[in-house]
Amino acid sequence: MSSENSSADDVQRVWDVVVVGAGPAGASAAYAAAVAGRRVLLLEKAELPRYKTCGGGIIGPSRDALPPGFELPLKDRVHAVTFSNNGRFTRTRRSRQMLFGLINRPEFDQQLVEHAQKAGAELRTGVTVQRVEQHGSAVPDRRTVAVILQGGEVLLARAVVGADGSASRIGAHVGVKVDQVDLGLEVEIPVPDTVAEDWKGRVLLDWGPMPGSYGWVFPKGDTLTVGVISARGEGAATKRYLEEFVGRLGLAGFEPSISSGHLTRCRADDSPLSRGRVLVCGDAAGLLEPWTREGISFALRSGRLAGEWAVRIAEAHDAVDTRRQALNYAFAVKAGLGVEMSVGKRLLTVFERRPGLFHAALTSFRPAWRAFKEITQGSTSLGEIVRTYPVAQRALTALDRRPAATGDEVSPPQ
């Protein structure tokens, strides 16, 4: 906080940055702003730790975006992937180096919040934000945002970061627009040691029966996280897919400890990332990988950017400077995550029409498997591959233009 404003702000209790939502995006934003020496308040409506519907895969980009000294609470390290196409043509591919790690979200999120607190952020749980206001009687001046809690309490901030998930109230204030909504269903299944041992170090990815759908099995010690995802509007079919998937795996006899569902929302290309002194990040901004719907790395990376730019917005003295910093934030998000999302959208379109081709490539075509490995390990990204390898760009363009095939266009070896 700048010295000339500190005494006035102490009287009015104005926070430099208020972050709404203490998931990976919010905790990362709070950490980034607190490390810069600002007064940061992190708000969370639940009590921590809390469960989130999420596979819990930590790929390279997620690991690289974690705060310094963060020790990942890994439940397993993945060295093998079994691919299947709606239960058929099963094939396992292996890697000497770890592909990615698996975590439980309650533990992971709690640890991220603790890092933000150690950096100086203050945490308040069990509080629900009703709305934010940038004009009106609750706002003392043009450099302040009012955060209004359920029950009427008003908090004042120089900048606000919305990281309150896919049903974000802050996202509604900013005017976030989405053009892809998917339903994820998930069960946590405790299993005996003999079953757990069979899955240790190996995940399953199954390309599903509905366009764009897929299922997964992620082992976490004595529990398997089993889930499926498909376009919203296919609720009954998605539920049926999960039931059949669990049955096919021989897991129907085990009682799930948790059954949950979640909507993922992917932003439209022209969706705003800010309004005035309010920024959005993570799921609240609709930032996730459109094909896999992977969101943790997008939450961590956009959260860190939002925290860094919220500091600059907090220091902005007028609307012009505020706007400039908000535009810089949007540019930073779009230059990195936006490029990955645009490639992911194209891949999803192709995958929806030709899942068998994807399956054949990943199980039988060495460069495709190598690309999968390098993306999950964090040595490259979807955008980087398309930019670096003209053959990948040409293949994607050619597939964009080809009509959908009927049935299984390629049957890879079993």
Side-chain angles (χ1 to χ4, degrees):
M1 185 185 303
S2 55
S3 56
E4 68 265 24
N5 291 310
S6 57
S7 57
D9 285 355
D10 285 339
V11 173
Q12 296 177 293
R13 301 188 65 192
V14 181
W15 296 89
D16 289 320
V17 179
V18 168
V19 181
V20 183
S28 294
Y31 174 85
V35 155
R38 300 306 185 270
R39 292 180 62 192
V40 180
L41 178 63
L42 179 58
L43 303 175
E44 169 58 45
K45 67 180 177 184
E47 296 299 336
L48 297 174
R50 46 95 178 97
Y51 181 79
K52 279 285 185 186
T53 305
C54 175
I58 300 294
I59 59 174
S62 300
R63 183 198 61 232
D64 295 343
L66 292 167
F70 190 96
E71 291 287 332
L72 274 167
L74 293 182
K75 294 298 174 189
D76 206 344
R77 291 167 168 79
V78 177
H79 285 82
V81 183
T82 298
F83 296 101
S84 61
N85 191 2
N86 199 17
R88 296 178 298 160
F89 314 120
T90 302
R91 185 162 180 191
T92 300
R93 304 212 66 160
R94 300 181 186 279
S95 167
R96 283 195 193 89
Q97 290 85 33
M98 185 177 86
L99 294 166
F100 56 95
L102 299 174
I103 50 92
N104 284 329
R105 279 290 302 275
E107 212 179 336
F108 177 69
D109 291 11
Q110 174 77 34
Q111 214 168 297
L112 282 169
V113 167
E114 286 169 3
H115 269 259
Q117 288 176 288
K118 282 178 198 158
E122 190 171 311
L123 172 70
R124 279 184 65 181
T125 58
V127 290
T128 300
V129 173
Q130 290 282 57
R131 65 187 187 280
V132 292
E133 291 182 3
Q134 302 197 62
H135 309 282
S137 57
V139 184
D141 58 59
R142 290 181 180 180
R143 287 192 60 216
T144 309
V145 182
V147 179
I148 295 147
L149 307 182
Q150 200 169 49
E153 184 184 352
V154 177
L155 303 170
L156 300 179
R158 296 285 178 226
V160 170
V161 176
D164 47 337
S166 64
S168 169
R169 293 194 175 187
I170 312 300
H173 172 81
V174 167
V176 171
K177 295 185 284 185
V178 297
D179 64 4
Q180 177 187 330
V181 184
D182 296 293
L183 170 64
L185 299 177
E186 197 167 72
V187 286
E188 302 283 349
I189 306 178
V191 292
D193 291 346
T194 50
V195 177
E197 191 59 35
D198 182 49
W199 285 97
K200 189 172 170 55
R202 177 175 67 95
V203 301
L204 169 65
L205 296 176
D206 177 75
W207 317 123
M210 296 90 74
S213 67
Y214 77 97
W216 61 89
V217 180
F218 285 0
K220 297 169 187 174
D222 59 1
T223 300
L224 298 178
T225 297
V226 183
V228 300
I229 196 160
S230 188
R232 183 182 64 173
E234 298 279 354
T238 307
K239 191 163 184 268
R240 195 160 55 247
Y241 175 30
L242 179 59
E243 287 167 0
E244 289 171 359
F245 186 44
V246 169
R248 201 161 68 214
L249 294 164
L251 300 171
F254 303 115
E255 188 65 33
S257 58
I258 299 173
S259 297
S260 63
H262 178 66
L263 288 176
T264 64
R265 296 177 169 89
C266 201
R267 72 186 292 274
D269 287 340
D270 62 344
S271 179
L273 289 160
S274 67
R275 178 179 170 187
R277 290 177 173 268
V278 179
L279 306 176
V280 284
C281 60
D283 282 346
L287 291 165
L288 70 156
E289 204 286 299
W291 174 35
T292 62
R293 290 80 154 188
E294 190 278 322
I296 295 178
S297 76
F298 281 71
L300 292 168
R301 291 181 285 172
S302 65
R304 185 173 64 185
L305 290 171
E308 289 168 355
W309 258 276
V311 167
R312 296 179 175 110
I313 284 172
E315 293 168 347
H317 284 275
D318 56 38
V320 173
D321 195 20
T322 301
R323 180 74 180 144
R324 185 186 304 119
Q325 301 303 342
L327 285 171
N328 286 340
Y329 168 65
F331 179 78
V333 169
K334 289 173 186 174
L337 301 178
V339 171
E340 290 177 40
M341 288 183 73
S342 63
V343 177
K345 281 183 182 180
R346 290 175 69 189
L347 277 173
L348 176 64
T349 301
V350 176
F351 174 66
E352 284 173 339
R353 292 182 293 149
R354 309 176 71 84
L357 192 64
F358 267 78
H359 186 69
L362 284 166
T363 55
S364 307
F365 185 51
R366 194 166 290 165
W369 168 243
R370 190 166 61 241
F372 179 92
K373 281 201 303 183
E374 289 175 355
I375 289 167
T376 57
Q377 289 168 339
S379 59
T380 189
S381 67
L382 278 174
E384 195 66 34
I385 284 173
V386 170
R387 193 162 52 240
T388 308
Y389 298 102
V391 65
Q393 176 67 59
R394 287 198 298 274
L396 198 52
T397 303
L399 287 166
D400 278 343
R401 292 178 185 146
R402 285 172 70 174
T406 55
D408 286 297
E409 58 283 287
V410 181
S411 298
Q414 295 196 49

